[in-house]
């Protein structure tokens, strides 16, 4: 395993780019390969078996063709369905997504926390273990974000349709007095400006991407796999569907990427 090898990231589509941008910000010397499984998006209501099958195909690409040194499963739903399988099947480090329920529960003053995620994520073992271990003392309001992934994929994050759906999902949480809103899907950070129009500054919005980037850095340095070559970082993007949706989003980040 070479320290100059890229970090691999994958998601059902563009959502994982919200994780990719944090990884690249924190680790500007690392090469990355991003795979969007856009032809099979959304994953949210797919069975675990289907997601495991897709993850194996993507792993063939990321490890077989690109020899990635570490994989970020930049999708909460795929993490919930496939990370145990991936860790058992492939001999390299994985970092998965976990909704930030623990910090939300620890810091909640009202004792009510909202979680917006896909149906698949709510079914995950890790999510339930986290609830049991850290959130027993708070009320958790779970809201599946049906339809939101499709809106982000099509780039319609600021439109009326997104606003109406978010209003429907978030207003009842506000009425229940949440003070933290956990974004349990990597597509949702792209909706934060629209979410803020509803919540104002009344709630803390939690996205796990920065913590995931920190975890990637920790594992790479622990395994002496940080890229210290001094070469300019290379970022490659692939999709099983339309690559244009990826490039559209990347263009928006480019000014922030060194
Ligand atoms: N970005 C994926 C996640 O974090 C989206 C799931 C989907 O494709 O429905 O869960």
């Amino acid at each position: 395993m070479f320290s100059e090898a890229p970090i691999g990231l994958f998601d059902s589509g563009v959502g994982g780019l919200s994780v990719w941008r944090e990884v690249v910000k924190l680790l500007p010397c690392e090469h990355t390969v991003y795979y969007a499984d856009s032809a099979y998006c959304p994953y949210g209501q797919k069975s675990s078996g289907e997601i495991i099958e897709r993850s194996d195909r993507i792993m063939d690409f990321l490890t077989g063709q690109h020899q990635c040194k570490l994989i970020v499963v930049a999708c909460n739903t795929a993490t919930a369905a496939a990370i145990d399988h991936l860790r058992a099947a492939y001999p390299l480090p994985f970092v998965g997504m976990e909704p930030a329920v623990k910090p939300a529960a620890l810091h909640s003053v009202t004792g009510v926390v909202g979680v917006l995620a896909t149906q698949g994520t709510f079914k995950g073992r890790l999510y339930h273990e986290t609830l049991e271990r850290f959130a027993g003392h708070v009320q958790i309001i779970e809201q599946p974000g049906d339809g939101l992934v499709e809106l982000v994929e099509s780039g319609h994050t600021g439109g009326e349709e997104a606003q109406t759906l978010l209003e429907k999902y978030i207003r009842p949480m506000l009425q229940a007095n949440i003070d933290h809103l956990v974004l349990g899907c990597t597509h949702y950070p792209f909706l934060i400006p629209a979410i803020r129009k509803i919540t104002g500054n009344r709630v803390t919005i939690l996205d796990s991407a920065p913590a995931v980037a920190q975890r990637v850095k920790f594992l790479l340095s622990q395994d002496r796999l940080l890229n210290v070559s001094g070469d300019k970082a290379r970022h490659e993007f692939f999709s099983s569907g339309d690559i244009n949706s990826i490039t559209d989003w990347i263009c928006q980040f480019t000014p922030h990427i060194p």
Side-chain angles (χ1 to χ4, degrees):
M1 186 77 66
F2 296 109
S3 56
E4 286 89 352
I7 297 170
L9 303 95
F10 77 89
D11 177 45
S12 63
V14 299
L17 293 173
S18 66
V19 184
W20 174 84
R21 67 181 169 183
E22 296 299 332
V23 169
V24 170
K25 232 191 281 172
L26 189 68
L27 296 164
C29 300
E30 297 295 332
H31 305 306
T32 65
V33 178
Y34 184 94
Y35 189 91
D37 201 14
S38 316
Y40 295 83
C41 186
Y43 280 0
Q45 297 190 25
K46 285 192 168 44
S47 70
S48 298
E50 284 173 284
I51 296 172
I52 287 173
E53 203 179 311
R54 289 308 307 154
S55 302
D56 278 335
R57 288 280 165 81
I58 296 166
M59 285 301 294
D60 288 346
F61 180 76
L62 292 176
T63 59
Q65 286 191 40
H66 290 274
Q67 270 127 40
C68 292
K69 61 184 174 185
L70 176 148
I71 303 295
V72 181
V73 183
C75 174
N76 292 77
T77 314
T79 301
I83 198 127
D84 291 342
H85 160 78
L86 292 172
R87 287 196 168 121
Y90 301 88
L92 73 168
F94 285 89
V95 179
M97 303 301 302
E98 198 189 325
V101 170
K102 180 181 166 185
L106 282 177
H107 295 113
S108 177
V109 173
T110 61
V112 192
V113 166
V115 186
L116 194 60
T118 69
Q119 316 242 17
T121 296
F122 284 129
K123 283 192 249 155
R125 174 186 62 80
L126 257 178
Y127 173 73
H128 286 281
E129 282 176 11
T130 306
L131 282 191
E132 267 168 43
R133 286 183 63 194
F134 303 107
H137 61 292
V138 295
Q139 183 191 350
I140 299 284
I141 302 183
E142 294 177 355
Q143 175 61 60
D146 297 346
L148 295 175
V149 165
E150 291 85 338
L151 284 170
V152 174
E153 285 295 316
S154 61
H156 295 128
T157 51
E160 203 175 306
E161 204 181 331
Q163 208 61 51
T164 308
L165 260 188
L166 287 167
E167 184 74 36
K168 179 169 131 200
Y169 296 153
I170 293 170
R171 185 66 58 194
M173 295 186 186
L174 292 177
Q175 280 157 359
N177 208 20
I178 62 161
D179 59 0
H180 286 72
L181 175 62
V182 176
L183 302 184
C185 170
T186 55
H187 281 73
Y188 301 166
F190 297 126
L191 293 162
I192 287 176
I195 293 172
R196 277 270 171 243
K197 284 190 190 160
I198 301 163
T199 62
N201 291 324
R202 264 180 66 187
V203 301
T204 303
I205 298 174
L206 291 173
D207 164 20
S208 318
V212 164
Q214 290 289 353
R215 180 77 186 150
V216 171
K217 185 176 179 183
F218 172 80
L219 289 180
L220 289 181
S221 72
Q222 177 184 261
D223 295 348
R224 298 183 189 285
L225 283 175
L226 284 169
N227 186 354
V228 288
S229 68
D231 294 344
K232 186 173 165 29
R234 245 185 354 267
H235 303 296
E236 296 183 274
F237 300 92
F238 299 89
S239 170
S240 56
D242 179 10
I243 194 73
N244 288 327
S245 49
I246 300 285
T247 42
D248 287 352
W249 278 109
I250 294 295
C251 288
Q252 296 185 36
F253 304 151
T254 307
H256 310 293
I257 304 300

